[in-house]
Amino acid sequence: MEHNQKPSFFVQLATWIVDKRSLFFLIYGAALIFSLFSRNWVSVNNDITDYLPESTETRQGLGIMEEQFTTFGSARVMVSNISYEQALPLADRLESIEGISTVDFGDEDNAEDRADHYRNSAALFDVTFDGEADDPVSTAAMEELKETLAAYDVSISSSVGESQSETLAAEMTVIMGIAAVIIVAVLLLTSKTYGEIPVLLITFLSAMLLNMGTNFIFGEISFVSNSISSVLQLALAIDYAIILCHRFSEEREHAPAREACILALSKAIPEIASSCLTTLAGLAAMMFMQFRIGFDMGMVLIKAIILSILSVFTLMPGLLMLFSKLIDRTHHRSFVPKITVWGRFVTKLKFIVPPIFVCVLVGAFYLSNRCPYSYGYSLIEPVTKSDSMLQEAAIEETFGAQNVMAILVPAGDYEREGRLLKALDAMDEVESATGLASVEIEDEDYVLTDQLTPRQFSELLDMDIEIIRLLYTAYAADLEEYGRIVNNIDNYSVSILDMFLFLYDRVDEGYVTLDDETQADLEDMHDQITDALAQLQGTEYSRMVLQVDLPEEGEETFAFLDSLHALVGRYYDAGTFYITGDSTSDYDLASSFENDNILISVLTILFVIIVLLFTFQSVGLPILLILVIQGSIWINFAVPAVQGTYIFFLSYLIVSSIQMGANIDYAIVISSRYQELKREMPLREAMIETLNLAFPTVFTSGTILTCAGTLIGLLTSDAAIYGVGDCLGRGTIISMILVMGVLPEILLLGDTIIEKTAFNIKYPALVQTSSASGKVFLDGRVRGTISGKIDAEVHGVLEGDVTAVVHVHRESPIRQEKEEDDENA
């Protein structure tokens, strides 16, 4: 047997992949078994503030608090349909639970305080636990609290015992199940043979499991990435498998299974790679966000797309061979109708639709720039609400929402802290300001940081003055302040906090002996002071906690934060103090959003244009395609502006990049077909035929992505993920409408521009005379005799004799192969 030409690189690669399919089955089998175990190694971060830029005040402040302070778990517990008299003993019952340190039910003699904890036949208990929110002590106490109140109508708002990742995982399991049913239904509707369905499903599931099983290489991923990456992977990468499947069906009409698979794969690799690059471009743009959750999502989804395309290129060809007989036996008529009537209709409107579209673009651009964004979860109401969200909403409806902030200032100056706390308490928006300098003791006569003389301290503890004088003397000696000892020790003032801790240490060391009653009082006070110190004083910073009567975010809240910074700045130098909380986090996110928005938009468009320039080798065509998809993005986010509903800012950034990177594939499918067909027929007829050929692909991929997004939007309770799903589903529908109803007219009207701006280099065709017989691959323009004359672009397999003049456009126009039947394929 004689080879006249060396096969092209893609044919060689496809041949190697198909012939080595057993090796790939073995590799994938081992990798999938490994992934079943390794997917449990992934660490999920549920705190979105961890992804704030390190330079932000909130991130720096949270870092200090994590290192230097203890934040005890807390809960707001509302018992409804109960009288005040019945609620009073409940406070004591709850406080007796092991693991609960305090239960605040207000002062029954203070009308205002009582109203804060009892109204509309509902009692509100503010519970503080002995440990932090994720401490087993707190979790066990929360379980016992729920058991204690099992007979009551209870609503609890707390992070203790709540796992956001577990809730989302349960929701996404339901979403994946429904999505799987929809995907199968869509594939059954759009497939040409039922036998290709298991091939597609095995390929999808393998890629998804591989991605889940390799996420551990990142060490930690966000709850957003962990929750939606699998669904988005299936929705974004389904095109690739469908393209190869359709190519195989086309080649199988005139070639045995092996040859058909090789030809299909060799042609699909460059086509799929080009489509994949636009999706990767959109995802890569997210990684440049200041808000590092974009980087997190970008790297997880980029890996997902790469694994999907590898599965299509290396696993799916073997599956096509394995299921080839089933594929052959289960052919059925197409359920996707021809849309010739639609094609004729839209092509008649090429002078009408583009001007209307330009006007719509202007309006959509204006409205989308006025889309109301939310930087926290308080303004967003997902369709589905978790049980904890419903309970929190019930408490806020009766008693209002809590807005807590923390101020970190350099430690050591109690007097300055006290003046700042008084100034904070005087602000109209501040309900309460708590710090060491405001913690009251002994019936509100003193605060912990008050400076007391020996006599005052002895009266406070009801101890002998001589013992206290000796204690003060020892304290001064310990600090080497001998002048205090020489002078009158009775004039020496020390803060209650410092002197009490010094006394406790001396008692603990055995230098001071107290009677049982005083010892018991000392122990109780020591526990309270230790808790206060853990929460309010660190090694370098003191913490002040504010209760603010303002919503979590909004112009009024952000204006208050500016005033708060100015006030604290009068007592401490800029850069030496930090203000943290949900409101400050929202404030920082709002500040970085504008830059991230511009950066993501510019980079996404730039990356996609670069890919399209090399794909189409024209300047005009990429611009027209970008215009259509960017228009769909503007229209998508004009909808919330018209409805007056808030959208989470992160949802916008994610969806705008995904929509540009993924939905432009639909425009590429139509443009590529049109560019091919217009060389064979009149422009209008070429576009009509293009729409007929492209509709199944656009319909299949678009329907699955729309359903995936819509399901996420309807069935998840997380505000960020809800926004991604809702906007992605709506955006995909808009993109499908535009590419099928507006892009055809734009391409027809702009055809001259496309041709004028083309920069592809046309090399002169090499003319060769070749001959072969038997089973022959044809790839190029062939002119000669094949049981008759032929003058055409031929890409396929011929059985017979070939003697022809070949205009070589590829590496191997004619290649002779040994004949093999389907049994040996």
Side-chain angles (χ1 to χ4, degrees):
M1 193 212 61
E2 180 183 353
H3 290 274
N4 293 326
Q5 295 288 336
K6 182 181 179 181
S8 69
F9 168 75
F10 289 122
V11 171
Q12 292 183 72
L13 178 61
T15 302
W16 184 80
I17 291 173
V18 172
D19 288 346
K20 299 295 182 181
R21 55 188 178 275
S22 296
L23 173 62
F24 283 110
F25 286 155
L26 180 63
I27 293 172
Y28 274 92
L32 291 173
I33 292 173
F34 174 79
S35 295
L36 283 172
F37 296 96
S38 62
R39 65 195 178 103
N40 298 317
W41 302 348
V42 180
S43 176
V44 179
N45 188 338
N46 292 314
D47 189 355
I48 199 170
T49 59
D50 282 351
Y51 296 92
L52 284 167
E54 292 293 337
S55 59
T56 59
E57 181 182 27
T58 300
R59 187 72 212 101
Q60 293 179 36
L62 289 173
I64 292 171
M65 288 202 298
E66 289 172 4
E67 293 174 4
Q68 301 188 24
F69 296 91
T70 298
T71 302
F72 292 114
S74 61
R76 301 179 83 196
V77 181
M78 183 178 76
V79 180
S80 302
N81 304 312
I82 190 173
S83 67
Y84 187 79
E85 289 70 25
Q86 291 173 317
L88 277 172
L90 270 183
D92 295 330
R93 285 180 61 188
L94 295 180
E95 196 164 20
S96 66
I97 295 174
E98 184 178 356
I100 292 179
S101 59
T102 61
V103 176
D104 182 11
F105 189 50
D107 183 355
E108 61 180 314
D109 296 325
N110 186 319
E112 184 178 349
D113 201 21
R114 175 170 171 167
D116 288 339
H117 289 83
Y118 185 84
R119 63 180 68 164
N120 300 330
S121 299
L124 179 67
F125 304 96
D126 291 320
V127 178
T128 303
F129 295 89
D130 286 337
E132 297 187 341
D134 56 354
D135 194 308
V137 171
S138 303
T139 305
M142 175 62 81
E143 292 301 319
E144 188 173 347
L145 181 149
K146 291 178 179 179
E147 291 177 10
T148 302
L149 299 178
Y152 296 88
D153 182 5
V154 182
S155 299
I156 301 174
S157 174
S158 175
S159 58
V160 176
E162 289 293 328
S163 175
Q164 188 176 20
S165 59
E166 291 179 5
T167 301
L168 287 175
E171 293 172 350
M172 295 310 296
T173 299
V174 174
I175 292 172
M176 286 295 296
I178 300 175
V181 173
I182 292 175
I183 288 173
V184 172
V186 172
L187 292 177
L188 286 171
L189 178 66
T190 59
S191 66
K192 297 179 180 180
T193 167
Y194 296 125
E196 67 187 27
I197 305 299
V199 175
L200 294 171
L201 292 179
I202 293 173
T203 305
F204 296 157
L205 293 174
S206 298
M208 183 183 70
L209 182 56
L210 287 174
N211 190 52
M212 294 169 60
T214 53
N215 280 335
F216 75 92
I217 64 176
F218 300 127
E220 182 181 76
I221 63 174
S222 70
F223 69 95
V224 179
S225 302
N226 186 61
S227 300
I228 63 176
S229 59
S230 295
V231 177
L232 290 182
Q233 179 184 8
L234 293 182
L236 293 173
I238 196 171
D239 287 1
Y240 314 145
I242 291 173
I243 289 172
L244 179 57
C245 221
H246 287 176
R247 283 287 189 181
F248 178 75
S249 297
E250 293 172 7
E251 300 296 340
R252 190 70 180 91
E253 292 177 2
H254 54 73
R258 176 178 176 273
E259 284 76 3
C261 197
I262 292 171
L263 285 171
L265 182 59
S266 65
K267 294 173 183 177
I269 287 176
E271 182 179 354
I272 293 172
S274 174
S275 175
C276 172
L277 284 174
T278 59
T279 303
L280 293 177
L283 298 175
M286 287 200 303
M287 299 178 70
F288 289 87
M289 288 169 53
Q290 286 181 291
F291 189 37
R292 301 309 289 165
I293 203 167
F295 181 88
D296 179 84
M297 278 206 67
M299 66 181 185
V300 172
L301 287 175
I302 284 175
K303 178 168 65 67
I305 298 302
I306 291 174
L307 289 172
S308 294
I309 200 170
L310 286 176
S311 298
V312 170
F313 287 164
T314 58
L315 175 64
M316 191 172 174
L319 294 173
L320 288 171
M321 294 291 296
L322 188 65
F323 286 87
S324 60
K325 291 183 179 180
L326 179 64
I327 292 172
D328 292 341
R329 290 198 304 265
T330 56
H331 277 278
H332 59 80
R333 68 179 182 85
S334 175
F335 299 116
V336 180
K338 294 282 187 179
I339 57 169
T340 305
V341 174
W342 173 257
R344 289 173 179 165
F345 173 72
V346 297
T347 53
K348 288 180 180 179
L349 304 176
K350 70 176 183 178
F351 296 110
I352 299 174
V353 170
I356 295 175
F357 179 62
V358 171
C359 295
V360 172
L361 276 188
V362 174
F365 174 76
Y366 174 83
L367 289 172
S368 65
N369 283 329
R370 282 152 183 77
C371 180
Y373 297 108
S374 172
Y375 303 95
Y377 287 2
S378 61
L379 299 176
I380 301 176
E381 292 191 8
V383 176
T384 298
K385 295 181 176 64
S386 65
D387 185 56
S388 60
M389 293 173 65
L390 292 172
Q391 293 186 53
E392 184 176 2
I395 294 173
E396 291 181 355
E397 184 179 354
T398 305
F399 291 97
Q402 273 190 330
N403 190 355
V404 180
M405 300 179 188
I407 303 175
L408 304 177
V409 299
D413 192 338
Y414 295 145
E415 190 272 334
R416 183 160 36 167
E417 290 178 28
R419 288 189 287 116
L420 174 57
L421 282 167
K422 289 179 181 178
L424 291 169
D425 229 357
M427 297 182 77
D428 294 335
E429 299 89 348
V430 176
E431 293 182 332
S432 67
T434 304
L436 282 178
S438 67
V439 176
E440 298 172 343
I441 58 175
E442 284 298 306
D443 300 325
E444 304 182 7
D445 290 338
Y446 297 113
V447 295
L448 277 178
T449 56
D450 280 343
Q451 304 280 326
L452 300 187
T453 63
R455 182 166 296 281
Q456 291 172 319
F457 193 69
S458 70
E459 292 172 352
L460 175 66
L461 296 183
D462 194 22
M463 291 180 64
D464 185 85
I465 183 62
E466 294 303 326
I467 296 176
I468 297 302
R469 282 175 178 151
L470 290 173
L471 184 68
Y472 267 64
T473 301
Y475 181 85
D478 193 58
L479 295 180
E480 298 183 354
E481 296 182 352
Y482 301 112
R484 300 286 189 178
I485 301 174
V486 174
N487 296 321
N488 190 354
I489 196 69
D490 286 338
N491 295 327
Y492 185 24
S493 296
V494 180
S495 71
I496 297 174
L497 175 64
D498 293 335
M499 184 52 66
F500 178 84
L501 293 176
F502 184 76
L503 170 61
Y504 185 85
D505 290 340
R506 300 293 81 77
V507 171
D508 191 49
E509 293 167 359
Y511 293 112
V512 177
T513 303
L514 304 175
D515 59 66
D516 292 342
E517 184 179 352
T518 305
Q519 181 70 36
D521 292 340
L522 187 68
E523 293 290 346
D524 290 340
M525 186 173 286
H526 180 264
D527 291 340
Q528 296 176 25
I529 290 179
T530 301
D531 286 349
L533 286 175
Q535 297 179 79
L536 301 174
Q537 182 168 299
T539 55
E540 298 173 349
Y541 287 88
S542 291
R543 178 164 66 173
M544 304 174 188
V545 180
L546 306 185
Q547 290 274 4
V548 182
D549 185 21
L550 286 172
E552 180 183 315
E553 63 177 302
E555 292 184 7
E556 184 182 6
T557 302
F558 293 163
F560 167 74
L561 287 174
D562 289 334
S563 301
L564 188 59
H565 277 91
L567 174 62
V568 180
R570 292 204 292 267
Y571 294 86
Y572 296 91
D573 294 335
T576 63
F577 65 89
Y578 302 92
I579 302 176
T580 66
D582 290 338
S583 292
T584 57
S585 173
D586 298 346
Y587 185 82
D588 287 337
L589 291 172
S591 301
S592 66
F593 171 66
E594 185 174 352
N595 290 333
D596 278 345
N597 186 16
I598 295 173
L599 182 67
I600 292 297
S601 299
V602 172
L603 288 179
T604 302
I605 292 174
L606 180 63
F607 291 163
V608 171
I609 283 181
I610 291 173
V611 173
L612 295 180
L613 282 173
F614 283 98
T615 301
F616 294 107
Q617 298 185 4
S618 169
V619 176
L621 184 55
I623 293 175
L624 294 178
L625 299 187
I626 290 288
L627 186 66
V628 172
I629 300 302
Q630 184 61 53
S632 72
I633 294 173
W634 288 336
I635 294 172
N636 187 15
F637 291 101
V639 173
V642 173
Q643 295 176 336
T645 56
Y646 284 89
I647 176 173
F648 193 55
F649 81 102
L650 180 61
S651 304
Y652 170 81
L653 293 174
I654 292 172
V655 172
S656 60
S657 58
I658 289 178
Q659 191 176 345
M660 174 61 74
N663 290 176
I664 202 164
D665 286 355
Y666 311 151
I668 291 173
V669 169
I670 291 177
S671 302
S672 300
R673 290 283 189 177
Y674 172 67
Q675 292 296 101
E676 293 175 7
L677 293 174
K678 75 177 185 179
R679 293 179 174 84
E680 303 174 11
M681 58 186 74
L683 296 183
R684 183 169 179 241
E685 295 303 316
M687 182 55 70
I688 294 172
E689 183 62 18
T690 292
L691 293 177
N692 270 325
L693 294 173
F695 178 65
T697 301
V698 174
F699 176 78
T700 304
S701 176
T703 301
I704 291 175
L705 186 55
T706 298
C707 291
T710 303
L711 283 172
I712 292 172
L714 291 175
L715 299 178
T716 188
S717 59
D718 183 87
I721 298 174
Y722 154 75
V724 171
D726 183 55
C727 295
L728 187 59
R730 182 177 61 238
T732 303
I733 293 175
I734 294 170
S735 296
M736 291 171 65
I737 293 172
L738 292 186
V739 297
M740 296 299 295
V742 176
L743 181 61
E745 295 94 319
I746 291 178
L747 291 177
L748 287 173
L749 195 62
D751 191 75
T752 302
I753 298 174
I754 295 171
E755 293 298 326
K756 293 286 186 183
T757 58
F759 58 84
N760 57 308
I761 302 173
K762 297 182 179 179
Y763 295 100
L766 302 176
V767 180
Q768 300 177 359
T769 301
S770 303
S771 63
S773 62
K775 186 171 295 180
V776 183
F777 284 98
L778 300 177
D779 194 4
R781 184 173 181 82
V782 181
R783 177 177 295 171
T785 303
I786 311 175
S787 299
K789 288 190 176 181
I790 183 170
D791 184 358
E793 291 283 346
V794 180
H795 312 286
V797 178
L798 172 77
E799 293 193 27
D801 298 327
V802 179
T803 301
V805 175
V806 184
H807 296 259
V808 184
H809 296 293
R810 290 174 173 81
E811 189 179 0
S812 176
I814 294 183
R815 181 166 62 86
Q816 186 175 337
E817 282 286 344
K818 181 180 178 181
E819 185 171 354
E820 296 179 318
D821 57 24
D822 288 353
E823 288 294 323
N824 298 325

